[in-house]
């Protein structure tokens, strides 16, 4: 799950989320990695890269935070539990 504030109303809401399909910063802060998503090419002779997903070897149970300071610099933190 991911939490998000609506900029207009200021209301908070939970949304379904996926580590695998999450943003790239998530694999960076968790010490995971980005893995290529491949599919067969049209001729069926090989594979072509169609995207990337987050991947992690092992079990990950944590809360990931991403925020920006008043100058716009982004910070990420992972709190394992």
């Amino acid at each position: 799950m991911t939490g998000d504030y609506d900029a207009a109303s200021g209301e908070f809401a939970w949304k379904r989320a996926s580590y695998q399909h999450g943003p790239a910063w998530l694999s960076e802060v968790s010490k995971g990695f980005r893995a290529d998503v491949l599919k067969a090419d049209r001729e069926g002779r090989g594979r072509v890269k169609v995207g990337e997903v987050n991947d992690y070897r092992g079990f990950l149970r944590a809360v990931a935070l991403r925020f920006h300071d008043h100058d716009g610099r982004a910070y990420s933190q992972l709190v394992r539990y």
Side-chain angles (χ1 to χ4, degrees):
M1 300 287 285
T2 182
D4 197 18
Y5 284 97
D6 181 276
S9 68
E11 292 185 20
F12 181 81
W14 288 107
K15 299 177 188 175
R16 287 190 168 271
S18 164
Y19 174 81
Q20 188 177 29
H21 294 101
W25 68 263
L26 197 52
S27 65
E28 294 169 10
V29 73
S30 67
K31 306 294 190 251
F33 58 95
R34 298 284 287 170
D36 293 342
V37 175
L38 306 172
K39 75 174 200 174
D41 66 6
R42 290 184 178 177
E43 293 81 29
R45 294 184 213 149
R47 295 182 164 263
V48 289
K49 179 178 172 179
V50 294
E52 290 183 341
V53 294
N54 293 325
D55 206 346
Y56 186 83
R57 303 238 192 272
F59 179 76
L60 178 65
R61 184 174 175 177
V63 174
L65 306 168
R66 177 79 162 184
F67 52 95
H68 295 83
D69 68 10
H70 62 281
D71 290 327
R73 290 181 294 243
Y75 294 91
S76 303
Q77 185 174 2
L78 189 77
V79 180
R80 296 175 188 269
Y81 63 96

